Amino acid sequence: MSEVSPLLKARGLMTTFQTAQGPVTAVNAVDLDVYAGEVLGLVGESGSDKSVMLRSLIRLIHPPGTVLGTVEWEGRNLVDLSDAALRRIRGGEIAMIFQEPMTALNPILPIKVQIDENLRAHTKMDASQRRKRMMELMDIVGIPAAERRLEEYPHQFSGGMRQRAMIAIALASSPRLLPADEPTTALDVTIQDQILNLILDLRDEFSMSVVFVTHDLGVVASTCDRVAVMMPGGSLRRHPSSTFSSTLTMPIRGG
Ligand SMILES: Nc1ncnc2c1ncn2[C@@H]1O[C@H](COP(=O)(O)OP(=O)(O)O)[C@@H](O)[C@H]1O
Ligand SMILES: [Mg+2]
C-alpha cells in the first residue's frame, strides 16, 4: 500500500461546551483522517456528538464552546485560523450540507440568490457566467424546470428537491470536501436513495471527499469506503470527570 497523505487530518480534536452544570467535553481527543475522493462514514447513535464532531472540523462551534487540537487542511490549521480566513474555506473548499435543508436555506430568498451568493463569494464569474452555471448546477443535482425553479423560494420545494437545492448551493463553490450531516434522514425512503446516489455520483464527477454522518448502518454499508464510529459516554457526558468520546476507523470495502 502506498503512503497517501490525508486531505484533512484532525488530531486531538476536543470540543467543550459550558453548561449550567459546568464544562462538558463533547468531542474528546479525536483523531480523524479524510482522504481525497473517499466517502467516510461517521456513525453513532443519536446524541453521540456526530454533529458536534462534524461542525468542530470547521470550527462551527459558537462561543463559549471551544475547539482545541489541530485540523490540518491544505497546510493550514483550521482550529487556529482567523475567522475571516475560515469563512472563505467554509462554504468554499469545504461545503457542508445538513439534515434539514429548511433550517440551512434562507426562507426569504429565492434559490437563485442563494446559489448566486456562493458563486459570487467563491468564483470570479461575471453575471452571465453565473447564470449559466446556476442552470448547470440545477441540472447536475436533478432539479427540472430550472428557469422557473431558480425563481422560487425554499418552501415551494418538496423535501427532496430542497435537499437537491442545498447540494446545488454547496457545489457552487466547487468544494473538495462535502461534510454531510444526515442529509437523507428527514426524507422518504425512495427519496433517500435518490439523494444518496446523487451524492455518490457527484463525488465521482467532481473528485470530492464526503464525510457522511448517519445513524443508519445500511446506508454506511452501501455508500461508504471507511467508517468512523463515535463512542460517546452517553449519560456519562453529564459528568465532566468521566467524559468519554473517541472514534475508531475501519475500512468497509476492499480493506
Ligand atoms: N452548544 C451546546 N452546549 C451544550 N451542549 C451541546 C451544545 N451543542 C451540542 N451539545 C450536546 O452535544 C450532544 C451531542 O449532540 P449531537 O452532535 O447533535 O449528536 P448526534 O449528531 O450524534 O445526534 C447533545 O446531547 C448536546 O447536549
Ligand atoms: Mg446530529
Side-chain angles (χ1 to χ4, degrees):
M1 260 171 70
S2 59
E3 280 292 308
V4 183
S5 52
L7 181 64
L8 178 143
K9 181 172 165 182
R11 290 292 177 272
L13 199 63
M14 169 110 65
T15 303
T16 305
F17 296 113
Q18 304 303 325
T19 71
Q21 285 74 40
V24 172
T25 300
V27 173
N28 195 353
V30 166
D31 297 342
L32 192 74
D33 292 333
V34 183
Y35 291 92
E38 79 169 341
V39 179
L40 174 68
L42 186 62
V43 300
E45 61 194 81
S46 181
S48 61
D49 301 305
K50 301 182 298 296
S51 295
V52 172
M53 170 72 198
L54 202 63
R55 295 205 314 267
S56 299
L57 292 175
I58 49 173
R59 217 176 74 211
L60 204 55
I61 299 292
H62 297 294
T66 56
V67 182
L68 297 175
T70 58
V71 177
E72 278 180 41
W73 173 264
E74 303 272 317
R76 287 159 293 179
N77 176 9
L78 301 186
V79 174
D80 280 351
L81 219 54
S82 70
D83 288 343
L86 199 54
R87 268 196 300 274
R88 281 194 293 276
I89 293 176
R90 286 189 204 132
E93 296 161 38
I94 303 178
M96 191 149 162
I97 55 179
F98 298 89
Q99 173 170 349
E100 185 29 81
M102 210 51 193
T103 58
L105 293 169
N106 188 329
I108 61 165
L109 294 177
I111 294 298
K112 78 169 176 200
V113 176
Q114 305 190 47
I115 301 178
D116 201 33
E117 274 176 357
N118 251 12
L119 289 172
R120 280 164 178 271
H122 299 286
T123 73
K124 295 189 163 55
M125 295 178 188
D126 65 27
S128 78
Q129 290 169 321
R130 296 200 308 272
R131 177 76 197 175
K132 182 160 169 282
R133 185 62 183 152
M134 278 191 256
M135 299 291 286
E136 285 168 3
L137 286 167
M138 297 291 270
D139 185 48
I140 288 167
V141 301
I143 301 180
E147 194 92 38
R148 172 171 60 82
R149 288 304 222 162
L150 279 171
E151 305 296 329
E152 292 183 349
Y153 293 81
H155 74 266
Q156 292 172 284
F157 284 59
S158 66
M161 284 295 159
R162 226 176 265 155
Q163 195 54 281
R164 287 176 194 272
M166 199 158 77
I167 294 169
I169 294 169
L171 289 180
S173 65
S174 305
R176 303 189 55 203
L177 176 63
L178 198 67
D181 193 355
E182 310 221 29
T184 63
T185 305
L187 304 173
D188 294 344
V189 176
T190 49
I191 311 291
Q192 279 188 17
D193 280 348
Q194 293 172 10
I195 299 292
L196 283 177
N197 287 330
L198 172 63
I199 291 173
L200 293 180
D201 289 348
L202 294 175
R203 183 270 302 258
D204 295 338
E205 194 174 338
F206 297 100
S207 325
M208 293 182 301
S209 306
V210 178
V211 181
F212 194 89
V213 171
T214 179
H215 59 264
D216 186 335
L217 290 173
V219 166
V220 169
S222 62
T223 59
C224 298
D225 302 306
R226 290 188 309 136
V227 61
V229 185
M230 292 296 288
M231 300 199 303
S235 58
L236 290 179
R237 228 181 20 249
R238 303 277 162 250
H239 305 286
S241 58
S242 53
T243 56
F244 175 65
S245 160
S246 65
T247 56
L248 287 173
T249 47
M250 56 192 99
I252 296 184
R253 289 192 213 122

PDB file of all heavy atoms in Angstrom, residues 217-245:
ATOM      1  N   LEU A 217     -26.725   2.053   9.578  1.00  0.00           N
ATOM      2  CA  LEU A 217     -25.600   1.213   9.163  1.00  0.00           C
ATOM      3  C   LEU A 217     -25.807   0.628   7.769  1.00  0.00           C
ATOM      4  O   LEU A 217     -24.846   0.328   7.066  1.00  0.00           O
ATOM      5  CB  LEU A 217     -25.375   0.088  10.178  1.00  0.00           C
ATOM      6  CG  LEU A 217     -24.830   0.588  11.528  1.00  0.00           C
ATOM      7  CD1 LEU A 217     -24.790  -0.552  12.541  1.00  0.00           C
ATOM      8  CD2 LEU A 217     -23.451   1.204  11.382  1.00  0.00           C
ATOM      9  N   GLY A 218     -27.068   0.487   7.352  1.00  0.00           N
ATOM     10  CA  GLY A 218     -27.348   0.021   5.996  1.00  0.00           C
ATOM     11  C   GLY A 218     -26.829   1.018   4.978  1.00  0.00           C
ATOM     12  O   GLY A 218     -26.207   0.649   3.975  1.00  0.00           O
ATOM     13  N   VAL A 219     -27.033   2.283   5.271  1.00  0.00           N
ATOM     14  CA  VAL A 219     -26.554   3.350   4.392  1.00  0.00           C
ATOM     15  C   VAL A 219     -25.026   3.342   4.353  1.00  0.00           C
ATOM     16  O   VAL A 219     -24.405   3.451   3.294  1.00  0.00           O
ATOM     17  CB  VAL A 219     -27.076   4.729   4.868  1.00  0.00           C
ATOM     18  CG1 VAL A 219     -26.338   5.858   4.196  1.00  0.00           C
ATOM     19  CG2 VAL A 219     -28.572   4.832   4.606  1.00  0.00           C
ATOM     20  N   VAL A 220     -24.423   3.147   5.501  1.00  0.00           N
ATOM     21  CA  VAL A 220     -22.954   3.099   5.566  1.00  0.00           C
ATOM     22  C   VAL A 220     -22.421   1.972   4.687  1.00  0.00           C
ATOM     23  O   VAL A 220     -21.514   2.174   3.881  1.00  0.00           O
ATOM     24  CB  VAL A 220     -22.473   2.877   7.020  1.00  0.00           C
ATOM     25  CG1 VAL A 220     -20.987   2.555   7.054  1.00  0.00           C
ATOM     26  CG2 VAL A 220     -22.757   4.119   7.840  1.00  0.00           C
ATOM     27  N   ALA A 221     -23.020   0.800   4.824  1.00  0.00           N
ATOM     28  CA  ALA A 221     -22.533  -0.359   4.081  1.00  0.00           C
ATOM     29  C   ALA A 221     -22.639  -0.146   2.581  1.00  0.00           C
ATOM     30  O   ALA A 221     -21.778  -0.586   1.828  1.00  0.00           O
ATOM     31  CB  ALA A 221     -23.313  -1.607   4.494  1.00  0.00           C
ATOM     32  N   SER A 222     -23.690   0.571   2.150  1.00  0.00           N
ATOM     33  CA  SER A 222     -23.876   0.714   0.706  1.00  0.00           C
ATOM     34  C   SER A 222     -23.182   1.938   0.131  1.00  0.00           C
ATOM     35  O   SER A 222     -23.077   2.064  -1.077  1.00  0.00           O
ATOM     36  CB  SER A 222     -25.371   0.742   0.366  1.00  0.00           C
ATOM     37  OG  SER A 222     -25.975   1.860   0.977  1.00  0.00           O
ATOM     38  N   THR A 223     -22.723   2.854   0.976  1.00  0.00           N
ATOM     39  CA  THR A 223     -22.169   4.087   0.402  1.00  0.00           C
ATOM     40  C   THR A 223     -20.734   4.415   0.814  1.00  0.00           C
ATOM     41  O   THR A 223     -20.055   5.123   0.090  1.00  0.00           O
ATOM     42  CB  THR A 223     -23.017   5.321   0.799  1.00  0.00           C
ATOM     43  OG1 THR A 223     -23.044   5.419   2.216  1.00  0.00           O
ATOM     44  CG2 THR A 223     -24.427   5.236   0.275  1.00  0.00           C
ATOM     45  N   CYS A 224     -20.277   3.934   1.967  1.00  0.00           N
ATOM     46  CA  CYS A 224     -19.015   4.465   2.497  1.00  0.00           C
ATOM     47  C   CYS A 224     -17.820   3.564   2.201  1.00  0.00           C
ATOM     48  O   CYS A 224     -17.946   2.352   2.146  1.00  0.00           O
ATOM     49  CB  CYS A 224     -19.140   4.682   4.003  1.00  0.00           C
ATOM     50  SG  CYS A 224     -20.403   5.881   4.426  1.00  0.00           S
ATOM     51  N   ASP A 225     -16.648   4.182   2.021  1.00  0.00           N
ATOM     52  CA  ASP A 225     -15.406   3.436   1.836  1.00  0.00           C
ATOM     53  C   ASP A 225     -14.831   3.011   3.181  1.00  0.00           C
ATOM     54  O   ASP A 225     -14.279   1.931   3.321  1.00  0.00           O
ATOM     55  CB  ASP A 225     -14.382   4.304   1.101  1.00  0.00           C
ATOM     56  CG  ASP A 225     -14.913   4.760  -0.252  1.00  0.00           C
ATOM     57  OD1 ASP A 225     -15.319   3.893  -1.036  1.00  0.00           O
ATOM     58  OD2 ASP A 225     -14.940   5.981  -0.500  1.00  0.00           O
ATOM     59  N   ARG A 226     -14.930   3.907   4.172  1.00  0.00           N
ATOM     60  CA  ARG A 226     -14.470   3.602   5.525  1.00  0.00           C
ATOM     61  C   ARG A 226     -15.502   4.157   6.486  1.00  0.00           C
ATOM     62  O   ARG A 226     -16.315   4.999   6.123  1.00  0.00           O
ATOM     63  CB  ARG A 226     -13.112   4.266   5.820  1.00  0.00           C
ATOM     64  CG  ARG A 226     -11.946   3.671   5.053  1.00  0.00           C
ATOM     65  CD  ARG A 226     -10.622   4.259   5.552  1.00  0.00           C
ATOM     66  NE  ARG A 226     -10.663   5.707   5.565  1.00  0.00           N
ATOM     67  CZ  ARG A 226     -10.218   6.473   6.554  1.00  0.00           C
ATOM     68  NH1 ARG A 226      -9.685   5.931   7.645  1.00  0.00           N
ATOM     69  NH2 ARG A 226     -10.280   7.783   6.471  1.00  0.00           N
ATOM     70  N   VAL A 227     -15.422   3.716   7.709  1.00  0.00           N
ATOM     71  CA  VAL A 227     -16.370   4.236   8.688  1.00  0.00           C
ATOM     72  C   VAL A 227     -15.641   4.581   9.985  1.00  0.00           C
ATOM     73  O   VAL A 227     -14.705   3.888  10.392  1.00  0.00           O
ATOM     74  CB  VAL A 227     -17.513   3.227   8.953  1.00  0.00           C
ATOM     75  CG1 VAL A 227     -16.987   1.923   9.508  1.00  0.00           C
ATOM     76  CG2 VAL A 227     -18.559   3.809   9.891  1.00  0.00           C
ATOM     77  N   ALA A 228     -16.035   5.687  10.587  1.00  0.00           N
ATOM     78  CA  ALA A 228     -15.543   6.062  11.917  1.00  0.00           C
ATOM     79  C   ALA A 228     -16.726   5.962  12.864  1.00  0.00           C
ATOM     80  O   ALA A 228     -17.832   6.397  12.538  1.00  0.00           O
ATOM     81  CB  ALA A 228     -15.003   7.488  11.893  1.00  0.00           C
ATOM     82  N   VAL A 229     -16.502   5.360  13.999  1.00  0.00           N
ATOM     83  CA  VAL A 229     -17.595   5.128  14.944  1.00  0.00           C
ATOM     84  C   VAL A 229     -17.428   6.045  16.149  1.00  0.00           C
ATOM     85  O   VAL A 229     -16.402   5.983  16.838  1.00  0.00           O
ATOM     86  CB  VAL A 229     -17.604   3.654  15.420  1.00  0.00           C
ATOM     87  CG1 VAL A 229     -18.818   3.398  16.314  1.00  0.00           C
ATOM     88  CG2 VAL A 229     -17.612   2.701  14.230  1.00  0.00           C
ATOM     89  N   MET A 230     -18.403   6.874  16.385  1.00  0.00           N
ATOM     90  CA  MET A 230     -18.362   7.724  17.573  1.00  0.00           C
ATOM     91  C   MET A 230     -18.754   6.882  18.780  1.00  0.00           C
ATOM     92  O   MET A 230     -19.765   6.183  18.744  1.00  0.00           O
ATOM     93  CB  MET A 230     -19.344   8.895  17.453  1.00  0.00           C
ATOM     94  CG  MET A 230     -18.998   9.931  16.406  1.00  0.00           C
ATOM     95  SD  MET A 230     -17.464  10.831  16.710  1.00  0.00           S
ATOM     96  CE  MET A 230     -17.932  11.881  18.091  1.00  0.00           C
ATOM     97  N   MET A 231     -17.948   6.953  19.809  1.00  0.00           N
ATOM     98  CA  MET A 231     -18.229   6.175  21.014  1.00  0.00           C
ATOM     99  C   MET A 231     -18.386   7.131  22.195  1.00  0.00           C
ATOM    100  O   MET A 231     -17.422   7.503  22.841  1.00  0.00           O
ATOM    101  CB  MET A 231     -17.096   5.196  21.280  1.00  0.00           C
ATOM    102  CG  MET A 231     -16.910   4.222  20.126  1.00  0.00           C
ATOM    103  SD  MET A 231     -16.014   2.759  20.589  1.00  0.00           S
ATOM    104  CE  MET A 231     -14.519   3.466  21.213  1.00  0.00           C
ATOM    105  N   PRO A 232     -19.603   7.559  22.439  1.00  0.00           N
ATOM    106  CA  PRO A 232     -19.832   8.586  23.450  1.00  0.00           C
ATOM    107  C   PRO A 232     -19.978   7.990  24.838  1.00  0.00           C
ATOM    108  O   PRO A 232     -20.149   6.786  25.001  1.00  0.00           O
ATOM    109  CB  PRO A 232     -21.159   9.180  23.020  1.00  0.00           C
ATOM    110  CG  PRO A 232     -21.900   8.004  22.467  1.00  0.00           C
ATOM    111  CD  PRO A 232     -20.870   7.096  21.862  1.00  0.00           C
ATOM    112  N   GLY A 233     -19.935   8.882  25.803  1.00  0.00           N
ATOM    113  CA  GLY A 233     -20.222   8.442  27.152  1.00  0.00           C
ATOM    114  C   GLY A 233     -21.710   8.425  27.423  1.00  0.00           C
ATOM    115  O   GLY A 233     -22.150   8.017  28.484  1.00  0.00           O
ATOM    116  N   GLY A 234     -22.489   8.865  26.428  1.00  0.00           N
ATOM    117  CA  GLY A 234     -23.927   8.932  26.649  1.00  0.00           C
ATOM    118  C   GLY A 234     -24.214   9.753  27.890  1.00  0.00           C
ATOM    119  O   GLY A 234     -23.780  10.885  27.995  1.00  0.00           O
ATOM    120  N   SER A 235     -24.924   9.186  28.818  1.00  0.00           N
ATOM    121  CA  SER A 235     -25.280   9.947  30.011  1.00  0.00           C
ATOM    122  C   SER A 235     -24.040  10.296  30.844  1.00  0.00           C
ATOM    123  O   SER A 235     -24.070  11.222  31.625  1.00  0.00           O
ATOM    124  CB  SER A 235     -26.270   9.147  30.872  1.00  0.00           C
ATOM    125  OG  SER A 235     -25.681   7.917  31.218  1.00  0.00           O
ATOM    126  N   LEU A 236     -22.967   9.565  30.694  1.00  0.00           N
ATOM    127  CA  LEU A 236     -21.733   9.881  31.418  1.00  0.00           C
ATOM    128  C   LEU A 236     -21.251  11.287  31.098  1.00  0.00           C
ATOM    129  O   LEU A 236     -20.574  11.907  31.901  1.00  0.00           O
ATOM    130  CB  LEU A 236     -20.613   8.901  31.049  1.00  0.00           C
ATOM    131  CG  LEU A 236     -20.752   7.475  31.548  1.00  0.00           C
ATOM    132  CD1 LEU A 236     -19.565   6.664  31.067  1.00  0.00           C
ATOM    133  CD2 LEU A 236     -20.848   7.451  33.060  1.00  0.00           C
ATOM    134  N   ARG A 237     -21.627  11.733  29.882  1.00  0.00           N
ATOM    135  CA  ARG A 237     -21.130  13.032  29.456  1.00  0.00           C
ATOM    136  C   ARG A 237     -21.602  14.149  30.380  1.00  0.00           C
ATOM    137  O   ARG A 237     -21.048  15.235  30.393  1.00  0.00           O
ATOM    138  CB  ARG A 237     -21.582  13.303  28.030  1.00  0.00           C
ATOM    139  CG  ARG A 237     -20.474  13.770  27.153  1.00  0.00           C
ATOM    140  CD  ARG A 237     -20.934  14.052  25.746  1.00  0.00           C
ATOM    141  NE  ARG A 237     -22.332  14.269  25.639  1.00  0.00           N
ATOM    142  CZ  ARG A 237     -23.172  13.440  25.052  1.00  0.00           C
ATOM    143  NH1 ARG A 237     -22.738  12.320  24.540  1.00  0.00           N
ATOM    144  NH2 ARG A 237     -24.444  13.727  24.972  1.00  0.00           N
ATOM    145  N   ARG A 238     -22.650  13.872  31.116  1.00  0.00           N
ATOM    146  CA  ARG A 238     -23.142  14.878  32.059  1.00  0.00           C
ATOM    147  C   ARG A 238     -22.102  15.174  33.140  1.00  0.00           C
ATOM    148  O   ARG A 238     -22.133  16.204  33.758  1.00  0.00           O
ATOM    149  CB  ARG A 238     -24.427  14.382  32.739  1.00  0.00           C
ATOM    150  CG  ARG A 238     -25.513  14.033  31.769  1.00  0.00           C
ATOM    151  CD  ARG A 238     -26.300  15.262  31.324  1.00  0.00           C
ATOM    152  NE  ARG A 238     -27.025  14.997  30.112  1.00  0.00           N
ATOM    153  CZ  ARG A 238     -26.733  15.529  28.930  1.00  0.00           C
ATOM    154  NH1 ARG A 238     -25.757  16.384  28.805  1.00  0.00           N
ATOM    155  NH2 ARG A 238     -27.429  15.223  27.875  1.00  0.00           N
ATOM    156  N   HIS A 239     -21.208  14.217  33.368  1.00  0.00           N
ATOM    157  CA  HIS A 239     -20.209  14.395  34.425  1.00  0.00           C
ATOM    158  C   HIS A 239     -18.843  14.592  33.792  1.00  0.00           C
ATOM    159  O   HIS A 239     -18.272  13.650  33.264  1.00  0.00           O
ATOM    160  CB  HIS A 239     -20.184  13.180  35.353  1.00  0.00           C
ATOM    161  CG  HIS A 239     -21.525  12.867  35.926  1.00  0.00           C
ATOM    162  ND1 HIS A 239     -22.086  13.626  36.920  1.00  0.00           N
ATOM    163  CD2 HIS A 239     -22.439  11.926  35.603  1.00  0.00           C
ATOM    164  CE1 HIS A 239     -23.283  13.142  37.204  1.00  0.00           C
ATOM    165  NE2 HIS A 239     -23.525  12.115  36.417  1.00  0.00           N
ATOM    166  N   PRO A 240     -18.344  15.795  33.834  1.00  0.00           N
ATOM    167  CA  PRO A 240     -17.099  16.101  33.138  1.00  0.00           C
ATOM    168  C   PRO A 240     -15.944  15.165  33.491  1.00  0.00           C
ATOM    169  O   PRO A 240     -15.120  14.865  32.647  1.00  0.00           O
ATOM    170  CB  PRO A 240     -16.795  17.526  33.580  1.00  0.00           C
ATOM    171  CG  PRO A 240     -18.110  18.097  33.962  1.00  0.00           C
ATOM    172  CD  PRO A 240     -18.931  16.966  34.491  1.00  0.00           C
ATOM    173  N   SER A 241     -15.907  14.664  34.712  1.00  0.00           N
ATOM    174  CA  SER A 241     -14.769  13.837  35.105  1.00  0.00           C
ATOM    175  C   SER A 241     -14.770  12.482  34.397  1.00  0.00           C
ATOM    176  O   SER A 241     -13.762  11.816  34.305  1.00  0.00           O
ATOM    177  CB  SER A 241     -14.796  13.601  36.616  1.00  0.00           C
ATOM    178  OG  SER A 241     -16.015  12.985  36.961  1.00  0.00           O
ATOM    179  N   SER A 242     -15.938  12.073  33.908  1.00  0.00           N
ATOM    180  CA  SER A 242     -15.965  10.753  33.284  1.00  0.00           C
ATOM    181  C   SER A 242     -16.392  10.820  31.823  1.00  0.00           C
ATOM    182  O   SER A 242     -16.959   9.894  31.283  1.00  0.00           O
ATOM    183  CB  SER A 242     -16.910   9.825  34.053  1.00  0.00           C
ATOM    184  OG  SER A 242     -18.165  10.438  34.184  1.00  0.00           O
ATOM    185  N   THR A 243     -16.121  11.960  31.165  1.00  0.00           N
ATOM    186  CA  THR A 243     -16.489  12.051  29.752  1.00  0.00           C
ATOM    187  C   THR A 243     -15.646  11.092  28.941  1.00  0.00           C
ATOM    188  O   THR A 243     -14.490  10.834  29.253  1.00  0.00           O
ATOM    189  CB  THR A 243     -16.253  13.471  29.205  1.00  0.00           C
ATOM    190  OG1 THR A 243     -14.910  13.824  29.424  1.00  0.00           O
ATOM    191  CG2 THR A 243     -17.190  14.458  29.848  1.00  0.00           C
ATOM    192  N   PHE A 244     -16.245  10.580  27.911  1.00  0.00           N
ATOM    193  CA  PHE A 244     -15.532   9.646  27.059  1.00  0.00           C
ATOM    194  C   PHE A 244     -16.118   9.691  25.671  1.00  0.00           C
ATOM    195  O   PHE A 244     -17.292   9.475  25.478  1.00  0.00           O
ATOM    196  CB  PHE A 244     -15.654   8.230  27.610  1.00  0.00           C
ATOM    197  CG  PHE A 244     -15.045   7.192  26.714  1.00  0.00           C
ATOM    198  CD1 PHE A 244     -13.684   7.186  26.490  1.00  0.00           C
ATOM    199  CD2 PHE A 244     -15.838   6.263  26.081  1.00  0.00           C
ATOM    200  CE1 PHE A 244     -13.109   6.242  25.650  1.00  0.00           C
ATOM    201  CE2 PHE A 244     -15.275   5.315  25.236  1.00  0.00           C
ATOM    202  CZ  PHE A 244     -13.915   5.300  25.029  1.00  0.00           C
ATOM    203  N   SER A 245     -15.291  10.016  24.717  1.00  0.00           N
ATOM    204  CA  SER A 245     -15.785  10.048  23.348  1.00  0.00           C
ATOM    205  C   SER A 245     -14.582   9.949  22.426  1.00  0.00           C
ATOM    206  O   SER A 245     -13.634  10.683  22.551  1.00  0.00           O
ATOM    207  CB  SER A 245     -16.533  11.352  23.112  1.00  0.00           C
ATOM    208  OG  SER A 245     -16.625  11.627  21.752  1.00  0.00           O
TER     209      SER A 245
END
